[in-house]
């Protein structure tokens, strides 16, 4: 051994031993030296979360200072062969505090440990959502996993960290504009996104017309967004899937937090009902935004109201080692009234009961029962036309899956069922002065079921493979009335020739196979290529006659005339990490083709309509593009730069002119925004501060425009362009925030100062046309929702046993 090598070895030995001398190591002893007779012995065990007692996936084992190449599986189990002797074994995970052990191994041994989450203040800024190289080694493309803690590294509107605002800054995710609900993922419509809370379906997730999410980040743990290739156990939507995992309550100490900010006040309480067995967590928020409206100069805004609230309750019960029951319920409500002109009112409830059990060393079972209510309404509060229209959707959701896994293969199979019951649309007078008579329109019912199976196989260190098959079925159920239309004529109200009344029987069945496939091939230890394909069926969709989604959109089930959407999603990407996963680089291309996509006739009447098919236009959609990401995960300064090129088009396939748009030619979708750039920067301001900055640029969305206008009998008649042939101005916004921890309390408190739209740009929400003075010309005007600098402040303080941990 030469001198440089000797010096390196001495230095390495010194650093390893010094690092271990500075922390307490757990000592485990197995067998005696004099009885050892094998060349290698097996060390196995589980790594668990100390509160939930659930396994932690992706924990890396380092033996005597070197990474062994072994990670825990999805159950937190590890298996490694080590030569007999005394070894320093360290367990490391990007979001957990490392655990140092000394293992005296002269026989096979079992070491079970727990790993606590890292402290925000002590560990600095980390924007890694799972094991450090997951983006390279996971076969599925377009998968994003983040935690609630990481959302706080993004400047927040109204000082409130928000899941959907965070998602919109990731590549491939966008929105039509401020003040609209939902997100568009890789050129998909908002209703093509499957939204789940602990795998239970959620139909509505927005507050304040889409400005805030109904999910309180204080009670959320992580979220996973699948942007095109969904696992076989997820289905029912044609675009993407977002699963939000809720945080279990503390099993050892009662603690909580209270907070107040520009937009809301909030409360968090959690703790053990029975120590180490049963925990509770409760979080609630109530809006306090009306004082902001009173500051506006506009009279209508001063006389408007905006109220919202949400509450979450979670119970976590550890029945026995490896067996757990969760109960979760989320309740939200919103009320918005714009002066005396119009208003919205909507509420949502999702409750679920989930069992998770580990059976033996290789089997696990998950069972879910969920119940959901979504109600919404819009109203006109003034005059003879004062009226209110209510509608909604009820559903019950059940799911059962079982997984068998070893070190290289994982097989999951199961079944899923959803029972939908559309609630009647009811028109009622708003007050005694209204001229409206009550009216009631019955809505559809349907039953969706699926069986699925998937295989995840690490063929070798460099090759991974995921294959799945889902078979889904749907049946529209009675009672309902199905109209008949004149043959060789478009489906219009005036062409109705008769009707068939169904009682409690099957009306229209649909079904189809949904194959899923993903392949990962490592080019080097830190770089990989991935390919994926997924077919997805969607039997329920939202109906809206506005350019962007709103919280009161109707949920429409498939019928004999409204066929389920069918999407084929393709993706190919290159992923690379460098400097021990400190940096991530990725390029991910995608292509989507959708059959039976729905658009709307001009001036469509979608509410109180017994024959919705007469207002719809059917055709096909396509979307394609690429996502580019550069991300810095570790250090004092972290963040990412994301660029997305995305196109989305639709063309109608109707045989008749009345059921066509733009003569059946391809045209841009409402949410087609070709270029989007997001820049996020977070800087740790030691010892207790965090500065965040975000900048967002995107192409303006498509709109119809007035090409010319005519005067007939003194009236100005506009002539509009083909649909979506023009665009509103491009969008650009800069936000900043500063968060300071332990400001006044050593137990733990946080002060957040945020500025939304730092440059005060009047970004266009829409463009409309009005007469220019006394002339006959129609002039375009820009409508901005938040066209000014919007500062906010929020403060929260912790209390109880966990605040000073």
């Amino acid at each position: 051994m030469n001198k440089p090598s000797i010096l390196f070895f001495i230095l390495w030995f010194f650093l390893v031993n010094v690092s271990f001398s500075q922390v307490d190591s757990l000592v485990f002893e197995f067998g005696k030296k004099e009885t050892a007779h094998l060349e290698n012995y097996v060390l196995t065990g589980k790594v668990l979360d100390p509160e939930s007692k659930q396994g932690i996936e992706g924990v890396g084992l380092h033996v005597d200072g070197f990474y062994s190449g072994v990670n825990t599986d999805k159950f937190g189990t590890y298996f490694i062969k080590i030569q007999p002797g005394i070894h320093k074994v360290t367990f490391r995970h990007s979001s957990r505090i490392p655990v140092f052990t000394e293992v005296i191994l002269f026989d096979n041994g079992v070491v079970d440990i727990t790993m606590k989450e890292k402290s925000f203040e002590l560990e600095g800024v980390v924007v890694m959502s799972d094991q450090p190289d997951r983006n390279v080694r996971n076969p599925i493309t377009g998968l994003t996993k983040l935690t609630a803690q990481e959302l706080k590294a993004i400047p927040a509107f109204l000082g409130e960290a928000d899941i959907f605002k965070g998602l919109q800054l990731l590549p491939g995710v966008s929105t039509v504009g401020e003040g609209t609900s939902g997100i568009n993922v890789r050129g998909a419509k908002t209703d093509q996104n499957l939204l789940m809370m602990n795998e239970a379906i959620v139909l509505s997730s927005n507050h304040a017309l889409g400005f805030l999410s109904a999910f309180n980040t204080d009670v959320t743990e992580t979220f996973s967004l699948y942007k095109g290739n969904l696992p076989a156990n997820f289905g029912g939507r044609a675009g993407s899937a977002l699963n939000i995992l809720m945080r279990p309550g503390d099993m050892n100490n009662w603690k909580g937090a209270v907070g107040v900010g520009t937009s809301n006040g909030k409360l968090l309480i959690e703790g053990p009902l029975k120590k180490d067995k049963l925990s509770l967590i409760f979080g609630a928020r109530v809006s306090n935004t009306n004082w902001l409206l009173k500051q506006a100069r506009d009279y209508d805004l001063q006389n408007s109201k905006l109220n919202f609230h949400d509450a979450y309750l979670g119970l976590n019960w550890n029945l026995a080692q490896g067996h757990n029951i969760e109960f979760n319920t989320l309740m939200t409500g919103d009320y918005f009234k714009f002066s005396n002109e119009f208003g919205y009112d909507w509420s949502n409830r999702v409750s679920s009961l989930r069992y998770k059990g580990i059976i033996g060393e290789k089997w696990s079972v998950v069972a879910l029962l969920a119940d959901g209510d979504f109600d919404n309404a819009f109203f006109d509060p003034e005059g003879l036309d004062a009226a209110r229209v209510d509608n909604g959707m009820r559903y019950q959701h059940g799911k059962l899956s079982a997984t068998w896994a070893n070190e290289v293969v994982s097989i999951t199979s199961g079944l899923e069922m959803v029972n939908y019951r559309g609630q009647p649309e009811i028109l009622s007078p708003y007050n005694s002065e209204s001229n409206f008579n009550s009216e009631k329109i019955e809505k559809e019912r349907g039953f969706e079921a699926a069986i699925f199976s998937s295989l995840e196989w690490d063929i070798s260190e460099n090759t991974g493979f995921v294959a799945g098959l889902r078979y889904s079925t749907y049946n529209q159920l009675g009672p309902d009335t199905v109209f008949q239309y004149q043959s060789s004529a478009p489906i219009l109200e005036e062409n109705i020739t008769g009707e068939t009344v169904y009682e409690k029987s099957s009306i229209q069945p649909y079904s189809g196979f949904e194959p899923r496939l993903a392949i990962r091939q490592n080019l080097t230890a830190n770089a990989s290529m991935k390919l994926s394909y997924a077919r997805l069926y969607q039997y329920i969709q939202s109906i809206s006659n506005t350019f962007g989604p709103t919280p009161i959109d109707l949920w429409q089930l498939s019928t004999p005339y409204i066929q389920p959407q069918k999407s084929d999603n393709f993706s190919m990407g290159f992923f690379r990490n460098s400097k021990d996963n400190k940096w991530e680089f990725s390029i991910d291309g995608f292509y989507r083709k959708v059959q039976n996509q729905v658009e709307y006739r001009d001036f469509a009447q979608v509410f109180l309509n017994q024959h919705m098919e007469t207002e719809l236009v059917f055709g096909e959609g396509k979307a394609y593009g690429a996502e580019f990401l550069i991300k810095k995960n570790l250090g004092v300064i972290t963040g990412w730069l994301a660029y997305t090129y995305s196109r989305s088009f639709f063309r109608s396939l109707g045989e008749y002119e009345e059921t066509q748009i733009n003569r059946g030619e391809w045209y841009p979708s409402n949410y087609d925004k070709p270029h989007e750039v997001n820049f996020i920067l977070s800087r740790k301001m030691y010892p207790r501060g965090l500065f965040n900055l975000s900048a967002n640029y995107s192409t303006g969305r498509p709109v119809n425009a007035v090409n010319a206008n005519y005067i007939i009998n003194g009236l100005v008649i506009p002539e509009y362009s083909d649909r979506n042939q023009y665009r509103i101005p491009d969008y650009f916004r800069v936000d900043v925030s500063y968060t300071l921890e332990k400001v006044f309390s050593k137990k733990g408190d946080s002060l957040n100062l945020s500025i939304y739209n730092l440059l005060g740009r009047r970004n266009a929400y829409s463009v409309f046309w009005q007469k220019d003075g006394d002339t006959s010309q129609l002039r375009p005007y820009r409508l901005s929702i938040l066209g000014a600098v919007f500062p906010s402040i929020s403060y929260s303080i912790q209390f109880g046993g966990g605040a000073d941990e």
Side-chain angles (χ1 to χ4, degrees):
M1 185 179 293
N2 55 34
K3 289 183 179 181
S5 299
I6 294 174
L7 291 174
F8 173 81
F9 177 82
I10 294 173
L11 178 61
W12 166 82
F13 183 82
F14 174 80
L15 291 175
V16 168
N17 281 275
V18 167
S19 65
F20 273 93
S21 68
Q22 293 175 339
V23 296
D24 294 329
S25 296
L26 302 174
V27 180
F28 300 90
E29 184 174 357
F30 304 99
K32 301 295 182 181
K33 183 176 182 180
E34 54 270 17
T35 60
H37 60 281
L38 296 179
E39 183 178 351
N40 292 294
Y41 285 100
V42 173
L43 183 67
T44 187
K46 291 186 176 181
V47 182
L48 305 174
D49 181 273
E51 296 181 355
S52 67
K53 304 302 181 184
Q54 300 301 303
I56 304 172
E57 182 183 1
V59 176
L61 272 70
H62 298 252
V63 180
D64 298 327
F66 290 104
Y67 174 54
S68 65
V70 174
N71 291 311
T72 56
D73 62 18
K74 62 177 61 179
F75 306 121
T77 302
Y78 67 89
F79 179 95
I80 186 173
K81 292 183 178 180
I82 308 177
Q83 293 179 351
I86 302 174
H87 301 282
K88 306 290 187 182
V89 180
T90 306
F91 297 83
R92 295 185 181 275
H93 189 279
S94 61
S95 64
R96 304 276 172 165
I97 298 174
V99 175
F100 301 93
T101 68
E102 181 178 283
V103 179
I104 304 170
L105 192 70
F106 295 103
D107 198 353
N108 296 329
V110 178
V111 173
D112 295 332
I113 65 164
T114 60
M115 296 185 74
K116 295 182 179 180
E117 289 188 335
K118 286 183 177 179
S119 162
F120 170 78
E121 179 184 359
L122 295 177
E123 298 300 327
V125 182
V126 179
V127 292
M128 303 177 72
S129 57
D130 216 312
Q131 60 257 48
D133 60 349
R134 183 184 182 93
N135 64 310
V136 172
R137 302 196 63 80
N138 193 314
I140 297 179
T141 63
L143 171 60
T144 298
K145 300 186 74 173
L146 291 176
T147 68
Q149 186 66 40
E150 290 159 359
L151 288 177
K152 296 177 182 179
I154 298 173
F157 176 62
L158 296 175
E160 187 74 10
D162 188 88
I163 290 175
F164 288 91
K165 287 292 183 287
L167 284 174
Q168 292 167 22
L169 296 173
L170 297 173
V173 184
S174 64
T175 182
V176 172
E178 295 168 332
T180 58
S181 59
I183 55 175
N184 302 104
V185 180
R186 291 188 170 182
K189 297 178 66 176
T190 56
D191 70 337
Q192 293 175 340
N193 305 316
L194 174 64
L195 176 60
M196 298 170 287
M197 179 187 74
N198 286 357
E199 297 195 23
I201 296 172
V202 180
L203 291 183
S204 177
S205 61
N206 294 281
H207 281 320
L209 300 175
F211 282 110
L212 290 174
S213 164
F215 285 94
N216 181 354
T217 54
D218 289 345
V219 294
T220 59
E221 187 171 43
T222 63
F223 65 87
S224 301
L225 175 65
Y226 297 85
K227 291 187 288 187
N229 188 287
L230 277 62
N233 57 315
F234 292 157
R237 300 295 185 273
S240 66
L242 173 64
N243 186 30
I244 300 171
L245 292 181
M246 310 305 284
R247 187 168 62 83
D250 194 300
M251 282 285 185
N252 299 302
N253 300 287
W254 281 99
K255 59 184 180 181
V258 292
V260 62
T262 305
S263 66
N264 64 79
K266 56 184 180 178
L267 170 69
L268 172 69
I269 299 175
E270 61 178 305
L273 296 175
K274 185 175 181 181
K275 202 164 186 178
D276 295 326
K277 281 292 185 181
L278 179 62
S279 71
L280 174 146
I281 183 169
F282 174 79
R285 297 184 297 180
V286 178
S287 65
N288 58 338
T289 55
N290 287 317
W291 71 272
L292 290 172
L293 298 177
K294 299 298 182 184
Q295 311 307 312
R297 296 180 180 179
D298 184 86
Y299 174 81
D300 287 331
L301 284 177
Q302 289 180 6
N303 288 275
S304 299
K305 289 185 178 180
L306 175 60
N307 301 320
F308 65 83
H309 69 270
D310 59 64
Y312 171 80
L313 174 66
L315 296 173
N316 192 286
W317 184 15
N318 290 329
L319 296 172
Q321 181 68 27
H323 297 272
N324 175 266
I325 290 180
E326 301 172 352
F327 171 77
N328 309 277
T329 187
L330 174 69
M331 295 180 291
T332 71
D334 284 70
Y335 176 88
F336 172 72
K337 185 169 77 75
F338 181 75
S339 190
N340 292 319
E341 300 294 325
F342 64 90
Y344 298 144
D345 186 2
W346 69 98
S347 63
N348 187 49
R349 179 192 59 80
V350 180
S351 302
S352 67
L353 186 67
R354 187 167 68 154
Y355 163 78
K356 296 184 293 182
I358 299 175
I359 304 172
E361 296 184 357
K362 297 183 179 180
W363 283 95
S364 67
V365 175
V366 178
L368 170 73
L369 291 175
D371 181 78
D373 296 338
F374 173 54
D375 296 291
N376 61 53
F378 66 92
F379 54 87
D380 185 347
E382 285 289 318
L384 298 178
D385 293 333
R388 177 185 173 97
V389 177
D390 291 87
N391 64 76
M393 178 68 72
R394 305 283 186 272
Y395 59 96
Q396 292 77 43
H397 179 204
K399 191 172 184 179
L400 176 66
S401 63
T403 300
W404 179 92
N406 61 19
E407 291 78 10
V408 295
V409 175
S410 173
I411 300 174
T412 299
S413 299
L415 56 90
E416 184 173 16
M417 295 172 286
V418 187
N419 180 39
Y420 293 106
R421 294 179 294 134
Q423 298 304 289
E425 281 188 87
I426 300 175
L427 170 67
S428 57
Y430 192 80
N431 52 41
S432 59
E433 300 177 359
S434 174
N435 281 338
F436 276 103
N437 295 319
S438 296
E439 184 178 351
K440 182 177 180 179
I441 303 293
E442 296 292 340
K443 303 302 291 184
E444 297 82 9
R445 299 186 176 194
F447 184 79
E448 181 181 347
I451 57 174
F452 56 84
S453 185
S454 64
L455 166 69
E456 185 172 345
W457 180 18
D458 289 331
I459 299 174
S460 69
E461 182 69 18
N462 294 322
T463 306
F465 177 82
V466 177
L469 182 64
R470 183 183 180 94
Y471 179 74
S472 61
T473 66
Y474 167 83
N475 209 331
Q476 184 194 352
L477 305 175
D480 196 19
T481 299
V482 177
F483 294 91
Q484 283 83 48
Y485 298 89
Q486 179 181 341
S487 60
S488 303
I491 298 178
L492 301 174
E493 184 176 1
E494 56 265 30
N495 294 331
I496 294 176
T497 60
E499 61 184 49
T500 301
V501 178
Y502 292 86
E503 297 302 328
K504 294 182 179 180
S505 60
S506 172
I507 298 176
Q508 178 65 57
Y510 293 104
S511 62
F513 285 98
E514 304 179 40
R516 318 282 172 87
L517 178 66
I519 300 173
R520 180 263 305 171
Q521 178 62 50
N522 273 51
L523 306 177
T524 67
N526 301 313
S528 66
M529 290 286 296
K530 302 180 188 180
L531 296 170
S532 69
Y533 164 75
R535 168 165 287 184
L536 310 170
Y537 276 84
Q538 179 169 335
Y539 302 100
I540 181 174
Q541 53 200 317
S542 65
I543 301 294
S544 172
N545 59 359
T546 62
F547 68 83
T550 68
I552 64 162
D553 291 343
L554 291 168
W555 282 101
Q556 172 68 50
L557 295 169
S558 293
T559 70
Y561 299 105
I562 304 175
Q563 299 182 37
Q565 298 183 60
K566 182 171 67 174
S567 176
D568 291 291
N569 300 348
F570 301 86
S571 182
M572 180 175 68
F574 171 76
F575 303 82
R576 185 178 186 276
N577 291 0
S578 66
K579 295 187 177 180
D580 293 328
N581 302 299
K582 183 177 182 179
W583 289 88
E584 292 182 18
F585 307 89
S586 65
I587 303 174
D588 202 1
F590 62 89
Y591 177 81
R592 302 178 63 250
K593 187 170 184 180
V594 185
Q595 301 177 43
N596 305 324
Q597 188 164 311
V598 174
E599 287 293 339
Y600 313 98
R601 299 177 60 195
D602 292 333
F603 313 108
Q605 175 59 44
V606 299
F607 294 100
L608 298 168
N609 192 332
Q610 300 182 73
H611 30 73
M612 183 69 71
E613 60 272 8
T614 61
E615 303 296 329
L616 303 180
V617 174
F618 304 95
E620 61 179 351
K622 67 178 180 180
Y624 57 85
E627 303 166 3
F628 303 84
L629 176 67
I630 302 174
K631 184 178 179 183
K632 185 173 184 286
N633 290 315
L634 301 171
V636 174
I637 297 177
T638 59
W640 66 82
L641 175 65
Y643 166 70
T644 303
Y645 174 75
S646 178
R647 302 305 312 271
S648 180
F649 298 92
F650 174 83
R651 70 174 176 183
S652 57
L653 297 177
E655 182 180 354
Y656 305 98
E657 182 179 350
E658 294 88 341
T659 57
Q660 293 178 349
I661 300 175
N662 292 3
R663 301 165 300 282
E665 300 173 357
W666 289 102
Y667 69 90
S669 306
N670 291 338
Y671 39 90
D672 175 66
K673 300 166 72 174
H675 304 284
E676 184 145 9
V677 180
N678 296 303
F679 174 70
I680 306 297
L681 181 144
S682 296
R683 190 189 193 285
K684 180 68 178 178
M685 311 295 288
Y686 286 102
R688 303 187 308 274
L690 182 65
F691 171 79
N692 303 312
L693 177 144
S694 70
N696 169 249
Y697 163 83
S698 64
T699 308
R701 66 171 184 84
V703 293
N704 308 332
V706 175
N707 286 332
N709 57 272
Y710 307 94
I711 301 178
I712 302 178
N713 296 327
L715 295 177
V716 178
I717 308 298
E719 179 184 280
Y720 281 90
S721 67
D722 284 348
R723 187 173 295 190
N724 292 350
Q725 296 304 299
Y726 295 89
R727 292 184 181 275
I728 64 175
D730 291 352
Y731 184 96
F732 180 66
R733 192 186 80 243
V734 176
D735 308 326
V736 294
S737 71
Y738 184 79
T739 302
L740 185 62
E741 300 285 330
K742 294 187 177 180
V743 186
F744 306 111
S745 171
K746 293 182 179 180
K747 295 285 270 184
D749 63 349
S750 175
L751 178 67
N752 177 271
L753 305 171
S754 300
I755 301 178
Y756 185 88
N757 195 18
L758 178 67
L759 303 182
R761 281 180 55 89
R762 295 185 64 250
N763 287 302
Y765 173 77
S766 183
V767 173
F768 62 96
W769 277 258
Q770 287 185 342
K771 280 186 61 177
D772 187 8
D774 295 329
T775 70
S776 61
Q777 296 297 317
L778 291 176
R779 179 181 174 184
Y781 290 84
R782 175 187 304 192
L783 173 64
S784 298
I785 302 298
L786 293 176
V789 177
F790 207 100
S792 61
I793 183 172
S794 63
Y795 175 76
S796 65
I797 183 169
Q798 299 178 13
F799 59 85
D804 56 353
E805 289 181 353

